[in-house]
Amino acid sequence: MRFLWTTLIVLAVHTLSAQNYDWNHLPVIQRPIFKNDTVDIKNYGAVAGGITLNTKAIDAAIRDCNSHGGRVVLIPAGLWLTGPIVLRSNVNLHIDRAAILQFTDDKDQYPIVAGNWEGHPAARCQSPISGTDLENIAITGGGIIDGNGDSWRWIAKDRLTESEWKHKVASGGVVTEDGKTWFPSAKSLKGFRTKDAGWLKPGMTPADFEDIRDFLRPNLLVLANCKKVLLDGTTFQNSPAWCLHTLLCEDLTVNDVHVRNPWNAANGDGIDVESCRRVLIANSTFDAGDDGICVKSGRDEEGRKRGRPTEEMIVRNNIVYRAHGGFVIGSEMSGGARNIFVSDCSFIGTDIGLRFKTVRGRGGIVEKIYVKNISMRNIVHQAVFLDMYYFAKPPSIADIYSGAVKEDIPPVSEATPIFRNIHISNIICDGAEEGIFVRGLPETNIRDIQLSDMVLKTDKGAEIIEAQNIGLKNIRLITADTSRPVVYVENSSDLHFDDIQYNAGADLLFSINGNKCANIHVASTDRSKAVHDAAFNYGATNDALK
């Protein structure tokens, strides 16, 4: 009997891990539950007004609630100055609608601790709000949490107005010799100029980094290895670095949250969900200095060794204003990402709309990604972007074909990233440099991508490079620059274009480039509207286009 029960448990676990999710069978995220008892931080000696440091009073309230099995800790109306806060299990930190929880700019209040930065173990100053190995925790309420990030971040002169720059310089800090960049202190500048600054390498401790303390900017909120987490209704703003960072968490709900970082905030990501399982981000608004809603899972060898993908994630009914990307996967995605569902979101003024990025050396598999019902406006670069050359520049096909450059193609290994099985549909974009950009690696093409039902009003149409089994169906490419090819294809095969609509009088419909182009099928498309139907270059032949 014992063997039978063990077998049944193993089978049940396997069944759950192999769950086939779809739009009708989405992941289920559990939410925390709290006692109704509420304690006010004023009862522990907290004083409003923005002068008294209330770190000890808030900590005492959190500890007391935790020791009594969990309660709600109330930050009442008022301006409350504090140092870093550490959450505890079964505690709901509730920020009153009329409350501002203001973190101090005194960097001595933030000890250097062992943490994680961009997928690497790293020394960081302690985050304003943090929690590790917790269960059943929340931050709720309509108030504001301000990280005082402008006292930590460096900034270039060309990202400020003249009066803003004068004000920044007059506030103190250090300006680089060329007069182009302001740093809050000499320690911050030294860290910026130090290679691998903050990386915790073997034999090093956080104490080894005191001389660059101010460079080790904390994320506003860091939750690591926590279960049943709720962020609901609160505004998180002005973070020193990333605003919200969840690492190795399970059952995370982010609802009606407002994230605000200045557009010029260095590393000012909205939310970074790293190696988490069962996640819901809904009804929230992001205005960020870097990526808006971002999925990560560790970087390079460390991420592969961790082996924890971000998975079973739902992103819906969100708005992203200025950000490097609206919804983003990567580039630190070495543990993989899968079973992610994104729907009914709006991106306004982001650099890129849907942004999936990686590079050689990352490894990791990004798959089973489903996106639908996305509206975009005034996108700076691409509406849909999948690129495996992030921060790298491939040689041009012209240089390779002429022999001017010999293409170095490394063997496939665990460090080779993979993008596959991605479905994107019902996308509207009014204004962008380019509609669709897909670029894989020659050793591992992006493959099995289905793009359908899109209206893209952009300068350029679509580029597909080093890709296999890509389908575009019912795509309307309204391009301002009709002198460029509507669709550019390079060294790609098994492409399926069905019902592609474009401007009448476009100079060239298809530009087919490279001797690896093959099995490019076109259906239900009026190819006579273009001045030229197709051109074949750099070894591509006419029979590549069916």
Side-chain angles (χ1 to χ4, degrees), residues 9 76 103 164 213 290 374 401 478:
I9 290 170
F103 285 92
E164 287 172 337
R213 159 194 285 276
D290 208 307
I374 308 296
Y401 187 74
I478 306 171

Side-chain angles (χ1 to χ4, degrees), residues 149-150 153-155 159 217 238-242 260-269 287-291 324:
D150 44 0
R153 297 186 300 264
W154 58 84
I155 193 163
R159 297 173 77 81
R217 297 170 295 144
N238 197 15
S239 173
W242 296 352
R260 299 176 66 249
N261 267 351
W263 72 269
N264 52 17
N267 309 112
D269 293 27
D287 199 343
D290 208 307
D291 289 327
H324 289 187

Side-chain angles (χ1 to χ4, degrees), residues 198-489:
W199 284 22
L200 274 173
K201 297 178 180 179
M204 302 183 76
T205 68
D208 295 327
F209 299 92
E210 183 60 42
D211 60 336
I212 59 169
R213 159 194 285 276
D214 298 356
F215 175 77
L216 305 175
R217 297 170 295 144
N219 300 331
L220 177 54
L221 170 71
V222 174
L223 300 175
N225 200 37
C226 297
K227 298 180 179 179
K228 293 185 182 178
V229 177
L230 173 64
L231 306 178
D232 193 340
T234 309
T235 294
F236 297 87
Q237 69 177 35
N238 197 15
S239 173
W242 296 352
C243 206
L244 308 177
H245 182 203
T246 58
L247 172 65
L248 295 165
C249 292
E250 294 186 2
D251 292 304
L252 165 67
T253 299
V254 178
N255 181 64
D256 191 27
V257 159
H258 305 266
V259 173
R260 299 176 66 249
N261 267 351
W263 72 269
N264 52 17
N267 309 112
D269 293 27
I271 184 169
D272 292 276
V273 179
E274 181 174 354
S275 296
C276 294
R277 185 182 182 194
R278 293 190 299 274
V279 178
L280 172 63
I281 301 176
N283 310 312
S284 296
T285 303
F286 300 86
D287 199 343
D290 208 307
D291 289 327
I293 303 170
C294 191
V295 173
K296 299 182 181 291
S297 59
R299 180 170 180 166
D300 301 341
E301 185 178 358
E302 289 97 336
R304 297 193 297 272
K305 189 179 297 183
R306 180 199 293 164
R308 291 281 298 274
T310 289
E311 59 183 331
E312 300 175 25
M313 180 176 183
I314 302 168
V315 178
R316 66 185 178 215
N317 298 330
N318 300 294
I319 298 172
V320 181
Y321 289 101
R322 290 195 64 150
H324 289 187
F327 174 78
V328 182
I329 297 180
S331 70
E332 302 91 45
M333 38 59 66
S334 302
R338 63 192 181 201
N339 289 320
I340 296 175
F341 296 82
V342 183
S343 67
D344 303 292
C345 293
S346 299
F347 307 148
I348 301 176
T350 62
D351 288 355
I352 296 173
L354 298 167
R355 187 186 194 198
F356 300 174
K357 51 182 177 172
T358 188
V359 71
R360 285 175 177 141
R362 290 284 192 264
I365 300 174
V366 172
E367 62 180 349
K368 299 180 181 177
I369 311 298
Y370 306 90
V371 183
K372 68 178 183 179
N373 303 340
I374 308 296
S375 298
M376 310 182 198
R377 193 167 186 273
N378 296 336
I379 305 302
V380 179
H381 299 300
Q382 291 85 8
V384 178
F385 179 84
L386 295 89
D387 189 21
M388 303 182 87
Y389 275 97
Y390 182 62
F391 275 148
K393 185 177 180 180
S396 72
I397 189 171
D399 286 342
I400 295 171
Y401 187 74
S402 68
V405 173
K406 183 178 180 181
E407 189 173 22
D408 183 19
I409 304 176
V412 174
S413 70
E414 66 175 8
T416 306
I418 295 173
F419 280 179
R420 67 189 183 196
N421 195 4
I422 298 172
H423 304 259
I424 303 174
S425 64
N426 197 15
I427 307 298
I428 307 295
C429 179
D430 181 7
E433 179 185 353
E434 187 171 33
I436 298 167
F437 183 89
V438 176
R439 180 169 61 185
L441 298 169
E443 67 271 24
T444 174
N445 287 182
I446 290 179
R447 60 182 306 132
D448 305 328
I449 311 296
Q450 299 301 314
L451 308 171
S452 64
D453 303 321
M454 300 185 183
V455 178
L456 306 175
K457 186 178 179 181
T458 60
D459 294 336
K460 299 186 293 183
E463 293 183 72
I464 300 175
I465 303 168
E466 296 288 358
Q468 294 182 45
N469 193 25
I470 311 296
L472 281 76
K473 184 175 182 179
N474 188 24
I475 308 293
R476 186 175 180 184
L477 298 168
I478 306 171
T479 55
D481 189 350
T482 56
S483 67
R484 294 176 178 268
V486 177
V487 177
Y488 175 91
V489 176

